[in-house]
Amino acid sequence: MLALDNLPPPLPAEGAISKPQRGNESYMALVWRRLKRSWTGMAGLCLVVLLLVMAVFAEFLAPMDPKVTDVGFAPPQLPSFHDKDGNFVVRPRVYALADSADLDPVTFQPVVGPDYDHPRLLGFFAHGAPYKFFGLLPADRHLFGSLDGQPVHFLGTDKFGRDVLSRAIHGSRVSLMIALTVVFIITVIGTTVGMVSGYFGGRFDVWMQRFVELVLAFPQLPLYLALTTLIPVTAPTNVFLAFVIIVMSALGWAQMSREVRGKTLALARIEYVRAAMAVGATDRRIIMQHIFPNVMSHVIVAVTLAIPTVVLLESFLGFLGFAVKPPLISWGLMLQDTATYSVIGTYPWILSPVGFVLVTVFAFNALGDGLRDAVDPY
């Protein structure tokens, strides 16, 4: 007689529906699955990751030292796959400009043209200007550059002969650092004030909202210019940069506070929040455990949409000379060379930092739009 423990498990009835083995998806898994369906959101996410990598590894990605000078307003040197006879070659190269034997018939000056007799071969992990990796490890390898260590200007040079591409890559550090720092301060202050004001209500909410309206009523651009001029020109660069971040943060938290307050007012009337109040939960527990997690979805989207606004503001103030001072490099500071139409018409490659600003604004806006649709996966 067989024991009951040795019997095989019973077969499922015909037509029965088997339950899936995996558990329920978490909220973050649902958001990620929906975000992957948005090609604009994924494109923005990839560009944001590339921008952050560029800012972190700026020394390795920049082909030259951004402070080294060469020929002023030198045109871009585009990689070529042809030799001087027009034959196709595998290894890319650039041809530096040099004076030829021909003379200009009007000015009788030597005609400047590519020096086909002395090409500069290009390659990956080329030796170049020395630097310290993460400020600690000495290195001289660059991702792409001239194999013989000669200067190469893929986007040309500015009026002082400094490489535009290298300065734009290094400038991403300051521009993104200002944007991320300002948005972080705005998010912390705005979220805290908005949740507390919307949850407690009453006279505290009334006075707080009047103060928020006062901050929003200030004309921001004239106030930016007036406050930044209070710092003397001889002040240290770090002091000037910190003052700019404080001014941007002080004038930007009010809008975030107003949005979070509106979300908190709606959440405070939901059944589970009223149930927590009824059982005697503390205000701190209700805010942190019930309101804050539901507000974060809106805050994350607001952050991704606020970063490009701060990047544009920093570029504009840097163009006017009120953002950062040399020796720091930012995209707005680089755009000061485009102040005259004659420079733009004669040397259009000076506008290259505008491309970096446009890519940054598109990346964060696209990511914000994708997150805005994905944070409500139900």
Side-chain angles (χ1 to χ4, degrees), residues 3 122 133 168 216 255 267 287 304 315 341 349 355 364:
L122 304 177
F133 200 65
L216 293 175
Q255 184 62 37
L267 292 171
I287 292 176
T304 57
S315 301
Y341 291 104
W349 57 86
F364 282 100

Side-chain angles (χ1 to χ4, degrees), residues 80-89 93-95 114-119:
S80 176
F81 289 90
H82 297 85
D83 58 10
K84 63 179 181 179
D85 298 325
N87 300 321
F88 179 80
V89 291
R93 60 196 60 198
V94 295
Y95 298 99
D115 187 6
Y116 293 105
D117 295 329
H118 301 88

Side-chain angles (χ1 to χ4, degrees), residues 290-314:
H290 299 287
I291 295 180
F292 179 70
N294 292 279
V295 170
M296 279 306 297
S297 59
H298 175 81
V299 171
I300 292 174
V301 176
V303 165
T304 57
L305 296 178
I307 290 177
T309 303
V310 180
V311 171
L312 288 174
L313 179 60
E314 185 277 330

Side-chain angles (χ1 to χ4, degrees), residues 87-212:
N87 300 321
F88 179 80
V89 291
V90 177
R91 186 179 295 277
R93 60 196 60 198
V94 295
Y95 298 99
L97 298 179
D99 296 336
S100 63
D102 301 330
L103 298 179
D104 186 274
V106 178
T107 62
F108 296 100
Q109 297 293 328
V111 177
V112 179
D115 187 6
Y116 293 105
D117 295 329
H118 301 88
R120 296 176 181 176
L121 301 181
L122 304 177
F124 291 98
F125 304 104
H127 290 279
Y131 60 91
K132 287 188 176 181
F133 200 65
F134 291 113
L136 300 173
L137 303 176
D140 63 350
R141 293 281 184 174
H142 298 265
L143 178 63
F144 194 72
S146 176
L147 295 179
D148 57 359
Q150 295 296 321
V152 178
H153 309 293
F154 296 106
L155 292 180
T157 61
D158 60 4
K159 60 182 179 181
F160 296 111
R162 299 170 296 190
D163 186 60
V164 173
L165 177 59
S166 300
R167 289 179 59 81
I169 294 176
H170 281 266
S172 64
R173 283 184 168 179
V174 175
S175 297
L176 293 179
M177 184 273 293
I178 292 177
L180 295 177
T181 305
V182 170
V183 171
F184 174 77
I185 298 175
I186 288 174
T187 303
V188 172
I189 298 177
T191 304
T192 303
V193 173
M195 287 193 305
V196 173
S197 178
Y199 176 76
F200 288 104
R203 182 170 298 179
F204 174 78
D205 180 42
V206 173
W207 284 104
M208 181 58 65
Q209 293 311 304
R210 301 293 82 76
F211 178 71
V212 169

Side-chain angles (χ1 to χ4, degrees), residues 26-36 371 374-377:
S26 64
Y27 175 73
M28 295 304 298
L30 292 173
V31 172
W32 172 246
R33 183 156 58 88
R34 189 162 182 173
L35 178 62
K36 290 191 295 184
L371 285 176
V375 292
D376 188 15

